[in-house]
């Protein structure tokens, strides 16, 4: 897979106006199963890490690209904001759950133009999740599509700490 293209495509889906106004995301580095990117300059700079699932269930379900991201926008005073790109539209009003070991975290869903996304409401829970991800070896995400059975995506956490350190250095 072309991860520079992956970062651009994801950036467009995730923060279309920022990317379009400021150009193509720059790949800062790859860290095992995680990739670090930056886009923009000054107060508009955004940095993020992303990974793809190692396993998607149901395997036969047709989906767009699937990612888990952690974003930082220094100019907006946002640090380590997790989000999910599931590759489909979520069932209206459904919740998504991220599980790291025994810890479970709920995300709210929003569909925008045929593409779904999920975020957390509470910055304290975001921090708790990111800390759990740094300590873990793997995590899973379950969600409910508009049509079809519940999905489960399994991710590796190999390289996440190094990728997060890279965006801290790049996005001060």
């Amino acid at each position: 897979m072309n991860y520079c293209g992956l970062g651009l495509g994801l950036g467009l889906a995730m923060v279309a106006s920022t990317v379009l106004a400021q150009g193509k995301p720059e790949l800062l580095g790859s860290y095992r199963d995680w990739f670090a990117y930056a886009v923009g300059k000054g107060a508009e700079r955004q940095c993020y890490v992303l990974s793809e699932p190692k396993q998607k269930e149901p395997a036969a379900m047709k989906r767009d690209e699937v990612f888990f991201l952690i974003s930082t926008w220094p100019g907006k005073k946002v640090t380590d904001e997790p989000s999910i790109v599931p590759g489909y539209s979520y069932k209206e009003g459904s919740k998504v759950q991220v599980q790291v070991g025994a810890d479970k975290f709920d995300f709210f869903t929003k569909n925008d133009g045929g593409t779904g996304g999920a975020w957390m409401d509470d910055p304290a829970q975001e921090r708790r999740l990111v800390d759990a991800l740094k300590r873990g070896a793997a995590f899973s995400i379950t969600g409910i599509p508009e049509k079809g059975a519940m999905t489960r995506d399994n991710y590796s956490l190999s390289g996440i700490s190094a990728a997060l350190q890279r965006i801290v250095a790049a996005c001060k």
Side-chain angles (χ1 to χ4, degrees):
M1 175 172 277
N2 176 345
Y3 288 101
C4 286
L6 173 78
L8 176 60
L10 181 58
L12 289 171
M14 190 180 125
V15 287
S17 61
T18 301
V19 173
L20 291 173
Q22 298 193 24
K24 181 178 176 182
E26 169 192 2
L27 176 64
L28 300 173
S30 60
Y31 305 89
R32 295 187 183 135
D33 295 320
W34 288 81
F35 301 86
Y37 291 91
V39 64
K41 300 209 182 290
E44 297 300 315
R45 187 156 176 85
Q46 176 197 2
C47 296
Y48 56 95
V49 299
L50 65 83
S51 187
E52 295 180 277
K54 292 294 186 182
Q55 179 185 23
K56 296 184 278 188
E57 299 171 8
M61 181 179 175
K62 184 177 168 94
R63 296 162 74 174
D64 292 336
E65 293 180 304
V66 179
F67 305 101
F68 183 83
L69 301 98
I70 301 172
S71 303
T72 295
W73 292 275
K76 295 180 182 179
K77 298 187 183 343
V78 173
T79 304
D80 292 340
E81 179 182 61
S83 61
I84 300 165
V85 177
Y88 60 79
S89 291
Y90 286 114
K91 181 177 180 181
E92 189 68 33
S94 67
K95 295 283 185 189
V96 172
Q97 191 170 79
V98 171
Q99 184 166 353
V100 185
D103 294 328
K104 296 179 182 180
F105 303 87
D106 289 331
F107 283 60
F108 70 89
T109 62
K110 182 177 179 186
N111 295 323
D112 188 22
T115 304
W119 298 267
M120 298 179 86
D121 281 322
D122 182 357
Q125 287 299 311
E126 291 175 347
R127 175 83 267 150
R128 199 173 137 252
L129 170 58
V130 171
D131 289 344
L133 294 171
K134 288 178 184 178
R135 290 188 312 271
F139 72 103
S140 65
I141 299 173
T142 54
I144 302 171
E146 277 184 329
K147 299 175 185 170
M150 182 171 64
T151 63
R152 180 183 177 93
D153 299 325
N154 298 309
Y155 288 80
S156 164
L157 288 167
S158 180
I160 190 170
S161 292
L164 287 168
Q165 287 174 355
R166 181 65 181 104
I167 66 168
V168 166
C171 227
K172 294 181 179 184

